[in-house]
Amino acid sequence: KASAHAIFRKVAAEGRRMLTEPEAKAAIEAYGIPVPRTIVAGSVAEVAQAAGELLESSEAVVVKLLSKVVSHKSDVGGVVLDIATAEKAAEAARSIETRLRARSPQVKADGYTVQAMVARKHAQELILGMNLDPMFGPVILFGAGGTAVEIVNDTAIALPPLDDVLAGDAIDATRIGRLLAGYRDRKPANRGAIIAALNGLSQMIVDFPCLVSLDINPLLADAEGVVALDARIEIDPRRVDEPAPNPALAIRPYPSGWSRDLQSDGMTFHIRPIMPADVALYPAFLAKISPDDLRLRFLSLRKNFPDQMLKRLTQLDYERDIAFVALEKDTGALAGIGRLSCDPDHRSGEYALLVRSDLQGHGLGWDLLKQVIDYAKAECIGRIEGTILNENRKMLTMCLEFGFSIAHHPSEPGLSVATLEVR
């Protein structure tokens, strides 16, 4: 974040909105997106020198126009590929300057960039992008890239912040996502590397409200991983120092500050907010919950938990809902969950707890409820409530110890309502 912030501040200080290609590549590289080695050259002679240096470890180089004004270099003939010698690189730089003068005589080149030519025969060209939607704020684009991206029109839109599951959903929503899985003699592309690139872009959006638009095209992807051959970033110079998280996000970012370790009866647990990826932990967790404990939690008998239900329990809008999972520190297995679902104005929230049947009696439910209450206080939620079966004496007793008031449910004689005024 600090590296990208320094780049954005420099651009803003010069009164610019558009980053140069080297600046944009340095920013995305700071967020874990690989880029080829690039050397900035201020003259034709420096282009030849840079090419000679890069050709010691690469078969060919690429020379590109460096301009603080021109963002789409190919439109003005500002890119020359597959250059095998330093002399040819110098010629390419001169030809770029000639074409620029002919097509845009009012624009002056700020120099050139020289980078190693990345040749990956079986790589797929992808695009990663970001722009501002008037309703949803920052949105992420993923799909088939290259110069024909608008014609192919194979893209998916996602709302940041992303994690591995949500990034994977964006990949799977495209036709090129099926090609990335491999076919015939083509090995599958490194899915983890593509997901990491999407997550890196997502985190940059969370960290910087100043981002206006971003394009990484093409992002080459194959079995070896990914590499961004070009990048374009536009910022709002007035907002480079605004703090994170980005207030324009439609979905509140993951509340990472609410993670902690817990020692309880000689056992160690890690408590943190739930993530969409935690859906994979539910089957083993539910298998260790007795039918009676499920009935006490859901207020009726329940045997089946459809996939869509589990997704609703794990893919939350943290603005209104929170769930804390307790994980066994040594195995990572799900041990318990404390949940709070709030109304839109945060006047009240409904809580629920579920601890694995084999781990009850060790204080884990107590700690999860305390975490829920502490979170409600921090979020200035007026009160929290829980609907409890009258026979659930353990839960009712714990609520009384926390200071909840207990009242009979107004319409269901077998239920009680526990209420705690938080403010």
Side-chain angles (χ1 to χ4, degrees), residues 62-362:
V62 179
V63 176
K64 299 181 183 181
L65 169 69
L66 176 62
S67 172
K68 296 177 180 178
V69 178
V70 179
S71 58
H72 294 288
K73 297 173 287 296
S74 57
D75 291 349
V76 295
V79 180
V80 180
L81 306 175
D82 204 16
I83 302 167
T85 67
E87 292 76 16
K88 292 286 187 181
E91 289 178 17
R94 285 190 286 267
S95 68
I96 288 172
E97 187 175 359
T98 300
R99 286 191 291 272
L100 181 64
R101 279 200 305 266
R103 300 182 187 185
S104 302
Q106 75 282 6
V107 177
K108 186 178 182 300
D110 295 308
Y112 308 90
T113 61
V114 187
Q115 69 182 45
M117 180 82 178
V118 179
R120 294 188 176 180
K121 183 179 178 182
H122 296 298
Q124 299 287 350
E125 289 189 333
L126 306 177
I127 183 171
L128 271 60
M130 167 265 171
N131 57 41
L132 296 178
D133 182 88
M135 181 176 292
F136 293 103
V139 295
I140 291 175
L141 175 141
F142 170 84
T147 55
V149 59
E150 292 89 359
I151 299 172
V152 174
N153 193 26
D154 177 26
T155 57
I157 298 295
L159 292 176
L162 302 181
D163 72 350
D164 289 1
V165 171
L166 301 178
D169 288 346
I171 296 170
D172 295 337
T174 60
R175 297 190 301 275
I176 200 168
R178 296 193 288 273
L179 296 179
L180 293 168
Y183 61 96
R184 293 186 179 177
D185 63 335
R186 295 217 178 176
K187 296 180 180 179
N190 188 328
R191 184 180 174 93
I194 302 170
I195 287 173
L198 280 164
N199 286 340
L201 172 58
S202 170
Q203 189 59 51
M204 181 184 285
I205 295 167
V206 171
D207 288 345
F208 290 106
C210 66
L211 284 176
V212 174
S213 66
L214 186 152
D215 286 311
I216 300 171
N217 183 26
L219 178 79
L220 294 187
D222 61 12
E224 297 178 25
V226 300
V227 60
L229 300 191
D230 203 356
R232 177 182 178 275
I233 297 178
E234 180 185 0
I235 63 168
D236 183 343
R238 301 166 299 178
R239 305 186 65 187
V240 293
D241 292 324
E242 287 190 17
N246 190 336
L249 294 169
I251 299 173
R252 186 172 176 175
Y254 181 77
S256 55
W258 287 89
S259 300
R260 64 186 177 93
D261 287 340
L262 166 69
Q263 293 278 346
S264 180
D265 265 6
M267 295 178 289
T268 304
F269 301 96
H270 181 65
I271 297 179
R272 60 161 172 78
I274 202 165
M275 300 177 179
D278 292 333
V279 69
L281 302 177
Y282 263 80
F285 172 70
L286 293 170
K288 293 187 177 182
I289 306 291
S290 70
D292 199 47
D293 284 339
L294 286 176
R295 181 178 62 84
L296 294 176
R297 162 62 179 88
F298 294 100
L299 309 182
S300 63
L301 292 172
R302 175 173 285 278
K303 294 182 179 180
N304 298 318
F305 292 85
D307 182 62
Q308 281 300 112
M309 179 184 181
L310 297 182
K311 286 182 177 179
R312 287 197 300 271
L313 291 174
T314 53
Q315 296 186 16
L316 305 184
D317 179 356
Y318 299 114
E319 183 65 33
R320 291 181 56 174
D321 299 323
I322 190 68
F324 294 104
V325 293
L327 307 174
E328 293 182 358
K329 195 67 183 292
D330 54 347
T331 66
L334 184 55
I337 306 167
R339 187 176 298 274
L340 183 67
S341 298
C342 301
D343 57 18
D345 57 11
H346 279 204
R347 290 183 180 177
S348 65
E350 183 178 7
Y351 88 92
L353 294 178
L354 183 59
V355 176
R356 242 171 50 195
S357 300
D358 60 319
L359 294 174
Q360 294 180 11
H362 298 284

Side-chain angles (χ1 to χ4, degrees), residues 1-10 19 23-31 204 207-208:
K1 181 180 177 180
S3 298
H5 188 210
I7 295 168
F8 295 155
R9 293 193 73 178
K10 175 180 177 293
L19 276 66
E23 290 168 339
K25 283 182 175 177
I28 64 172
E29 186 178 28
Y31 277 78
M204 181 184 285
D207 288 345
F208 290 106

Side-chain angles (χ1 to χ4, degrees), residues 359-371:
L359 294 174
Q360 294 180 11
H362 298 284
L364 187 55
W366 175 283
D367 278 285
L368 284 169
L369 182 55
K370 182 179 184 303
Q371 182 102 339

